[in-house]
Amino acid sequence: MLETSTFWLSDDERARQAATAEPERPSQLGVPPRHRSREPRRPRSGLPSLVALSLIAAFFAWVSAEPFWLAVGHDVKGRATVIQCTGDGIGQRCFGQFATGDGFSRVDRVTLLGVTGDQRARGAVSPARMVNLDGQQAYVGETGTLMQLRWMLGFVLVLLCGLGIAGLTGVRRLESRRARHGALLLSVACPLALLAGFLAAAY
């Protein structure tokens, strides 16, 4: 109403009225309201995600370890002799023998990767490399773009598994910033530790 408008009050009366009035909400004063912290996620909901992503990270670490060492030049050069090839495309499975270039060492049965075309024929001999003679895989051909992409993509996926663990186990729900940062580092460090273990084992 016009009679109750503050237009008719003096400066002193306006000041007294403002002091006795209920304070406005923080959002009305331009101050963002404080967000209520969310409760941490229950262990039984985050544990399956942790286990699943850890297994996925272990797989990518395993398939990336040998390509990484071959890409950086840690290998044993020799020749691979095909014993049998079955399937085609991504379902291809080839087995054979690997012998070092000097002929003094031989691995009787290894999985052959990178076999194409006429190299699939039984008894075909092709240049190949192994990370070490204790391994179970021999790689036919030279280090190319595909080999580089294989280990780089694997490393990236291992890192993404760590970030996924942090997200699905509720790291952002922790109370303090220090706790959130520590949990995030731990989530990423676990898959990277798996990667380091597979790299050491494949060396």
Side-chain angles (χ1 to χ4, degrees), residues 18-193:
T20 57
E22 182 180 355
E24 295 181 348
R25 295 181 180 179
S27 59
Q28 296 175 341
L29 297 176
V31 179
R34 297 182 62 183
H35 294 283
R36 183 179 300 175
S37 59
R38 294 177 292 180
E39 294 183 358
R41 186 165 295 174
R42 295 181 179 180
R44 67 181 180 182
S45 62
L47 186 58
S49 301
L50 172 62
V51 174
L53 287 175
S54 296
L55 293 175
I56 294 173
F59 170 77
F60 287 127
W62 171 59
V63 299
S64 304
E66 287 194 350
F68 170 77
W69 289 125
L70 293 176
V72 299
H74 176 72
D75 57 13
V76 177
K77 294 179 174 62
R79 299 180 305 275
T81 303
V82 175
I83 296 176
Q84 181 183 16
C85 276
T86 60
D88 195 10
I90 61 174
Q92 175 177 281
R93 297 291 183 270
C94 292
F95 303 94
Q97 293 179 340
F98 177 84
T100 58
D102 54 19
F104 290 133
S105 300
R106 187 180 70 181
V107 182
D108 288 330
R109 186 175 178 82
V110 293
T111 300
L112 302 180
L113 302 177
V115 179
T116 59
D118 296 338
Q119 297 173 333
R120 290 168 45 93
R122 182 180 178 87
V125 179
S126 304
R129 294 171 300 148
M130 295 183 67
V131 175
N132 56 62
L133 296 179
D134 295 326
Q136 298 179 345
Q137 299 182 130
Y139 297 80
V140 176
E142 298 296 328
T143 301
T145 303
L146 185 60
M147 183 72 70
Q148 299 284 355
L149 289 176
R150 183 173 177 179
W151 73 262
M152 286 190 289
L153 180 60
F155 280 26
V156 171
L157 291 173
V158 169
L159 180 59
L160 290 178
C161 284
L163 296 176
I165 290 173
L168 294 177
T169 54
V171 166
R172 295 182 61 185
R173 294 173 178 261
L174 297 178
E175 290 289 340
S176 65
R177 179 179 299 180
R178 182 176 181 181
R180 291 193 295 270
H181 288 175
L184 175 61
L185 291 176
L186 184 61
S187 299
V188 174
C190 289
L192 292 181

